Amino acid sequence: MLEDGEEGGVKPWHLVKSLEEPEVCRNRRSSLRERERAKAIPEIYLTRLLSMKGTLQKFVDDTFQVMLGVNRPVPIAVKYFFDFLDEMAEKHEIEDAETVHIWKTHSLMQRFWVLILKHPQMIFDVEVSENVDSILSVIAQTFIDSCTISEHKVGRDSPVNKLLYARDIPRYKHLPYNLINGFPLAQIDSEQFSPFVALHDLYAYIVKYYDPITAALEEDPNGQKMQLAYRLQQISSLVENKVTDL
């Protein structure tokens, strides 16, 4: 194909001048391709997506059950924090159950579990490919939708990731509801929060590394100024004498 050159001559080019194509034309074609691709996904790839969902279904169910199930005692830290939120709601006379539900889901589900679902490489030595990252984003969004009180509504214009798990979300919703609303949790042993128990455990660690700790305190300028090595020796003598007396 030919066109007028800068100096009135002709210049050959092959079909599309990609390097000289105006920015507006490139953006227009890119937008058109994205719309066509978005339209093709529900029609062409929906069967493949449903097949993949069926393959992963048991793993997703097991994962959600482990994270939100109450078949085993919930960690003490979770119970303690959830009880604290309940106390704050009572103290400030907040009677809206949805408000407390949001507090708890944001603190545990969305700020902890969702982060791990979307980024497993944070705790596991794994490499997350682009395809796997897309799958995990869909599962994480399903998890978020499962932790809301409001009804999950979808329609013909809803994104594909919303449609994939639309029928499963009502089944998942009861899991965080049970966890948040006081199903059997782990019993708290008051002795585990005793300062004397904490000091005893700390001293057991100090005894194990007594010489290196003492040497480090003697070499540290702040330690020398506060006589920390000498104080540690005094504590050690008191503790050992106490044990001997017992």
Side-chain angles (χ1 to χ4, degrees), residues 40-51:
I41 287 178
E43 299 173 358
I44 299 177
Y45 298 112
L46 185 56
T47 303
R48 296 182 183 178
L49 289 173
L50 291 174
S51 176

Side-chain angles (χ1 to χ4, degrees), residues 76-77 80 187-198:
I76 292 176
Y80 180 83
Q187 296 296 323
I188 298 180
D189 185 357
S190 59
E191 292 185 0
Q192 295 180 2
F193 294 93
S194 169
F196 298 104
V197 173

Side-chain angles (χ1 to χ4, degrees), residues 69-81:
V70 291
N71 295 331
R72 58 182 179 178
V74 175
I76 292 176
V78 174
K79 173 175 173 54
Y80 180 83
F81 184 66

Side-chain angles (χ1 to χ4, degrees), residues 56-57 59-61 63-64 67 114 117-118 132-146 161 165 172:
L56 298 177
Q57 188 69 60
F59 298 99
V60 175
D61 290 347
T63 301
F64 283 16
M67 292 189 298
V114 171
L117 280 174
K118 295 182 68 173
V132 173
D133 182 70
S134 300
I135 294 172
L136 294 176
S137 295
V138 174
I139 296 175
Q141 182 60 52
T142 302
F143 185 85
I144 293 174
D145 293 337
S146 302
N161 62 316
Y165 285 92
Y172 294 144

